[in-house]
Amino acid sequence: MGQSFSIEDVPDMTDKVCVVTGANTGMGKVCATVLAKKGAHVFLACRTAFKTNPVIAEIKSTTGNDKVEFLELDLLSLASVTSCAETFKARKLPLHLLLNNAGVMASPFSLSADGLESQFATNHVGHFLLTTQLLSILEASAPSRIVVVSSMGHIITYGGLGLEDLNDPNKYNPWFAYGRSKLANILFVRELTKKLEAKGVKNVYVNANHPGFVATDLHRHAEATTPKFIADFVTNYIHISPEVGAVTHMYLATSPEVEEKDIRGQDDSHLFRILAISPRPQVPTAKPGHISWAARDDKLAEELWAWTVNTLKEKVPGYSGPTI
Ligand SMILES: NC(=O)c1ccc[n+]([C@@H]2O[C@H](COP(=O)([O-])OP(=O)(O)OC[C@H]3O[C@@H](n4cnc5c(N)ncnc54)[C@H](OP(=O)(O)O)[C@@H]3O)[C@@H](O)[C@H]2O)c1
């Protein structure tokens, strides 16, 4: 797999339609900007218009591309996710890239509008619903890509996914909750890939990535739970910029190599580079990474899929399950 992919290597994206979740800031904003610069029609799927519209104006002005739009999406509300998918479907456009980038990390315990622990709801359940609702369009638009932004943090789990205690505030640990939600991202990618293969769909490429330790607002809750010397060390020696962090997203989202080398169902981590912090980790190089045993557990992936579908059937009126 590629060793030296950079943002400059992103190919021309004219006539491609892309949805990027959480695109009003951080790495999502970088990706939306790069995709627009390369000519794509880009939807910024975000929860607040007042935060997103100035970003859209900025992207239009810096890239000269007018096909940049707001798509309302609050992953903490399954009704909002359904409405987002319906709004997109009503446009009758193809969809070549769904970049599931939005996320929260180590936030204090809270429940989503549907009564689900908020990190799991945002990082996994909302994105599962969005992806499966848009899957038929992605299949019809193939070759197409789904990129699910996971994290090396998927290794921070205690007792697997902990689905039985998911919504119990007394059993809540903000870091285990993050780790479990990011483990769920990888299990979802692997199970979706398996299901697409079983259906004979060969050209919808689904992958997950770990972007590195990136200086973004994602760390806003971490300060409360991380000793200062660790936080300072991470900031000074480990953090990379959102522009560098977005390289791995963009590799999986756009590099022709993904199709040429049939890269699918993978977590494209660069863990080994993060550990090589001398003086800072190098630019992510889109090399396959190391995932935990739990992330490789096929049975756990099947269980998570079944649990998520059952939960959605219970919480979303009229939901009959994914079309796959
Ligand atoms: N930064 C890192 O070191 C790092 C490391 C590994 C993995 N990641 C992953 O990378 C992805 C991007 O993170 P980032 O570092 O770029 O973080 P960020 O700058 O905090 O951006 C996160 C984005 O997610 C959006 N979001 C949060 N909750 C949402 C909701 N309920 N509905 C819709 N959008 C929501 C945020 O929107 P608002 O502005 O409205 O909150 C924001 O646009 C995340 O999935 C994260 O887990 C990051």
Side-chain angles (χ1 to χ4, degrees):
M1 206 179 288
Q3 290 287 309
S4 57
F5 186 82
S6 75
I7 291 293
E8 283 69 48
D9 297 321
V10 173
D12 179 52
M13 296 293 286
T14 308
D15 297 331
K16 302 283 185 200
V17 181
C18 309
V19 170
V20 183
T21 72
N24 58 296
T25 186
M27 289 179 272
K29 179 182 170 188
V30 175
C31 291
T33 307
V34 172
L35 292 165
K37 197 171 163 197
K38 294 289 178 176
H41 185 166
V42 187
F43 288 85
L44 282 75
C46 301
R47 57 180 157 178
T48 41
F50 80 89
K51 268 177 143 178
T52 312
N53 285 336
V55 174
I56 290 177
E58 182 190 325
I59 295 176
K60 283 183 177 175
S61 114
T62 54
T63 65
N65 183 343
D66 263 348
K67 287 188 293 181
V68 184
E69 300 189 49
F70 174 63
L71 187 61
E72 188 169 349
L73 168 71
D74 184 354
L75 291 157
L76 281 171
S77 154
L78 295 170
S80 168
V81 177
T82 303
S83 148
C84 171
E86 293 306 325
T87 306
F88 185 82
K89 283 181 195 165
R91 295 290 297 274
K92 307 260 183 253
L93 287 165
L95 180 58
H96 303 99
L97 167 66
L98 174 61
L99 179 41
N100 289 339
N101 161 80
V104 280
M105 182 177 79
S107 46
F109 183 84
S110 67
L111 293 175
S112 70
D114 310 281
L116 298 167
E117 187 283 311
S118 61
Q119 293 194 71
F120 207 75
T122 306
N123 298 350
H124 169 63
V125 183
H127 278 127
F128 181 107
L129 180 60
L130 182 67
T131 307
T132 50
Q133 302 273 56
L134 296 178
L135 194 57
S136 53
I137 306 182
L138 285 150
E139 284 180 53
S141 317
S144 56
R145 313 242 181 130
I146 300 169
V147 179
V148 180
V149 182
S150 177
S151 171
M152 192 187 87
H154 80 273
I155 60 175
I156 316 170
T157 55
Y158 174 74
L161 287 166
L163 295 173
E164 39 321 313
D165 298 326
L166 180 70
N167 303 319
D168 183 347
N170 299 316
K171 304 241 170 95
Y172 184 70
N173 174 294
W175 286 105
F176 288 145
Y178 181 67
R180 287 166 175 169
S181 71
K182 291 288 145 179
L183 170 61
N185 289 156
I186 300 175
L187 293 170
F188 170 55
V189 160
R190 294 187 56 247
E191 187 63 16
L192 179 56
T193 299
K194 235 166 78 181
K195 289 194 181 312
L196 285 165
E197 274 170 8
K199 196 181 166 186
V201 178
K202 296 205 181 305
N203 44 10
V204 178
Y205 299 83
V206 190
N207 287 291
N209 71 315
H210 165 69
F213 290 136
V214 189
T216 65
D217 288 346
L218 189 78
H219 302 276
R220 60 175 81 78
H221 299 296
E223 284 164 18
T225 48
T226 312
K228 189 170 174 333
F229 75 96
I230 295 183
D232 287 349
F233 179 76
V234 169
T235 306
N236 294 330
Y237 297 104
I238 298 192
H239 269 164
I240 54 177
S241 71
E243 286 72 21
V244 175
V247 172
T248 319
H249 291 42
M250 294 312 292
Y251 173 79
L252 290 173
T254 70
S255 171
E257 236 181 49
V258 170
E259 284 165 40
E260 285 158 18
K261 298 191 174 171
D262 197 21
I263 295 164
R264 58 179 76 233
Q266 298 200 23
D267 176 83
D268 197 355
S269 164
H270 63 288
L271 171 62
F272 62 97
R273 291 216 175 268
I274 286 159
L275 294 175
I277 46 169
S278 178
R280 267 175 193 247
Q282 297 172 23
V283 173
T285 53
K287 214 170 149 56
H290 307 282
I291 57 172
S292 66
W293 285 112
R296 283 179 232 174
D297 185 339
D298 291 341
K299 197 160 164 281
L300 194 61
E302 283 167 24
E303 280 167 17
L304 174 68
W305 186 282
W307 178 92
T308 312
V309 171
N310 286 339
T311 301
L312 291 172
K313 282 185 179 165
E314 189 191 302
K315 310 260 178 202
V316 180
Y319 181 76
S320 54
T323 53
I324 190 153

